[in-house]
Amino acid sequence: MEKICKGRISQIEFFSILDVDYYKQSCGTVLADCLEKEYEYIIIDFGVLTKDNREDFVRCRRKLVIGSCIEWRLGAFMEILTNGRKGCKGWEYAAVFGSGQTKREIKKKLRIPFYEIPFSVDAYTVDSETLKFFQKFFRS
């Protein structure tokens, strides 16, 4: 993301785009530093949820699992949703859906509520629909 938005990759541990700080790698001390900076939100990308990072994930105030339900990327996300959600009370789920049929099948099969992230062809472009979604999403 840094290379696409800034045109280069720097050697410093974080970069900023539109008043948002992005940390490239984190550890407990980086998170502790972030907590002292009075950010409105701290979003941690755990990548794929595994046994190794699950403990840190469940310590978060808001536990949000975000994935893609677009047909060709569905496998890994479905595995988390079906196998990894036992005992996950209070977790929230958000996804981008490809087709309406896929959305109906997943909601029927899993019976869990999803926030539906608007589909965007370009992940680096934010249109008004996506902006409205995330403004509402972070206020909930």
Side-chain angles (χ1 to χ4, degrees):
M1 184 161 87
E2 180 182 22
K3 185 170 183 161
I4 290 170
C5 294
K6 297 276 207 174
R8 62 183 171 75
I9 297 176
S10 66
Q11 298 301 313
I12 58 174
E13 66 181 16
F14 75 95
F15 60 96
S16 299
I17 300 170
L18 299 174
D19 295 327
V20 176
D21 295 337
Y22 296 87
Y23 289 80
K24 299 173 187 181
Q25 297 291 323
S26 64
C27 60
T29 56
V30 171
L31 180 57
D33 290 345
C34 289
L35 292 169
E36 290 178 358
K37 291 184 181 180
E38 298 184 22
Y39 285 114
E40 265 186 82
Y41 299 98
I42 297 174
I43 300 171
I44 304 170
D45 182 350
F46 287 100
V48 176
L49 191 59
T50 65
K51 290 179 183 177
D52 294 336
N53 62 18
R54 183 181 167 97
E55 186 177 316
D56 290 330
F57 177 75
V58 298
R59 278 192 230 145
C60 294
R61 182 183 60 84
R62 189 170 181 190
K63 294 156 209 59
L64 178 63
V65 179
I66 298 176
S68 176
C69 290
I70 296 172
E71 290 77 2
W72 61 90
R73 301 184 73 195
L74 188 56
F77 190 48
M78 282 300 292
E79 186 175 330
I80 290 171
L81 294 175
T82 55
N83 299 328
R85 67 184 181 94
K86 297 172 183 76
C88 302
K89 191 174 184 177
W91 288 24
E92 298 174 83
Y93 301 91
V96 174
F97 290 92
S99 69
Q101 181 179 347
T102 301
K103 180 171 99 174
R104 286 186 297 277
E105 288 175 13
I106 290 171
K107 287 185 173 187
K108 182 179 178 182
K109 179 179 179 180
L110 298 175
R111 294 187 180 112
I112 56 175
F114 277 90
Y115 291 101
E116 187 174 344
I117 301 170
F119 179 79
S120 175
V121 177
D122 181 359
Y124 296 103
T125 301
V126 178
D127 60 18
S128 62
E129 182 184 9
T130 304
L131 184 61
K132 286 177 191 173
F133 168 82
F134 281 107
Q135 286 173 333
K136 181 179 175 185
F137 177 78
F138 282 112
R139 286 189 184 107
S140 63

